[in-house]
C-alpha cells in the first residue's frame, strides 16, 4: 500500500495537492519494477513538500553543494539495492523518502513549457519518485530508461510527454 503525505507552503496555487501527489507517486511506482508496492501489505510512505525557492536553495546548497534553487530534490531513505526486500519490515512500514519542489522554479518552468503548474508538478513528483526508487540520469542510458518510465507514468495520468523533443527508445 502507498501513503503520500503532503506539506505545502503558501504561494502554491489552489489545487488538490494531496490528490495530485498521491496519483503521481502511485503512477510512478506502478510503472516501475516495484509495482507490487501498491498492493503489498507493507505501507510504503513518501513525503512531498511543496515549498519556496529559498528553502530548496538552502537544501540544494546543504546536500548537493549547489548554490541555487532547483525544481525538485529527492531524498531516498532506502538504498536502491535494498528496495526488493523492504516488504519484510518489522513494523510493516517503509519510508521510501522525501520529495521537495520549489514553487517559483516550478511555476517558471511550467510557463516556459506552456502547461499548468499542476501538470508540471505532477511530472516533477513522478521524477522524484523514480529517484526514490533508485533511478538516476547521470549518463545517457540511465536518462533514457528513467525518462521512458516517466513518460509511461505521465501517460497513465493523461499527461503528455515532457521529453517530446527527444526520441526515447523502448516507448
Amino acid at each position: 500500500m502507498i501513503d503520500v503525505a503532503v506539506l505545502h507552503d503558501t504561494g502554491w496555487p489552489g489545487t488538490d495537492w494531496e490528490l495530485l501527489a498521491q496519483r503521481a507517486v502511485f503512477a510512478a511506482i506502478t510503472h516501475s519494477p516495484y509495482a507490487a508496492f501498491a498492493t503489498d501489505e507493507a505501507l510504503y510512505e513518501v513525503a512531498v513538500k511543496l515549498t519556496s525557492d529559498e528553502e530548496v536553495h538552502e537544501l540544494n546548497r546543504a546536500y548537493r553543494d549547489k548554490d541555487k534553487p532547483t525544481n525538485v530534490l529527492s531524498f531516498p531513505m532506502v538504498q536502491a539495492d535494498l528496495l526488493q526486500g523492504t516488504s519484510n519490515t518489522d513494523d510493516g512500514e517503509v519510508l521510501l523518502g522525501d520529495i521537495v519542489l520549489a514553487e517559483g522554479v516550478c511555476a517558471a518552468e511550467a510557463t516556459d513549457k506552456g502547461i499548468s503548474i499542476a501538470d508540471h508538478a505532477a511530472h516533477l513528483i513522478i521524477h522524484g519518485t523514480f529517484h526514490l526508487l533508485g533511478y538516476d540520469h547521470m549518463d545517457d542510458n540511465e536518462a533514457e530508461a528513467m525518462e521512458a518510465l516517466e513518460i509511461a507514468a505521465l501517460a497513465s495520468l493523461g499527461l503528455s510527454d515532457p521529453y517530446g523533443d527527444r526520441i526515447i527508445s523502448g516507448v
Side-chain angles (χ1 to χ4, degrees):
M1 183 180 344
I2 301 167
D3 182 48
V4 180
V6 178
L7 302 144
H8 63 87
D9 294 347
T10 58
W12 285 81
T15 294
D16 186 344
W17 293 109
E18 288 78 13
L19 179 61
L20 182 143
Q22 180 72 34
R23 291 181 70 224
V25 169
F26 185 83
I29 289 173
T30 58
H31 285 86
S32 78
Y34 305 103
F37 288 2
T39 55
D40 277 353
E41 287 187 30
L43 180 65
Y44 295 88
E45 298 178 67
V46 174
V48 175
K49 182 161 189 191
L50 308 171
T51 191
S52 67
D53 289 4
E54 293 77 24
E55 183 172 353
V56 172
H57 185 163
E58 289 173 25
L59 292 168
N60 206 20
R61 183 175 42 238
Y63 292 98
R64 297 179 66 223
D65 290 322
K66 298 194 179 199
D67 195 17
K68 63 180 182 176
T70 188
N71 54 11
V72 62
L73 292 171
S74 298
F75 298 95
M77 299 291 280
V78 179
Q79 287 178 218
D81 60 337
L82 299 177
L83 281 168
Q84 290 291 14
T86 56
S87 63
N88 298 321
T89 69
D90 291 338
D91 63 2
E93 296 180 6
V94 179
L95 302 174
L96 290 177
D98 301 331
I99 301 167
V100 184
L101 276 67
E103 189 272 331
V105 175
C106 186
E109 289 176 350
T111 298
D112 288 347
K113 294 174 181 288
I115 61 174
S116 72
I117 191 170
D119 287 355
H120 190 48
H123 174 217
L124 295 175
I125 293 168
I126 287 169
H127 182 88
T129 302
F130 280 116
H131 279 306
L132 298 184
L133 297 175
Y135 287 86
D136 215 333
H137 42 81
M138 298 305 286
D139 66 42
D140 289 345
N141 290 336
E142 288 178 343
E144 283 189 22
M146 186 172 171
E147 289 168 6
L149 291 170
E150 289 177 35
I151 291 165
L154 287 162
S156 76
L157 298 176
L159 299 175
S160 62
D161 172 2
Y163 305 107
D165 61 336
R166 292 188 251 168
I167 298 173
I168 306 294
S169 59
V171 178

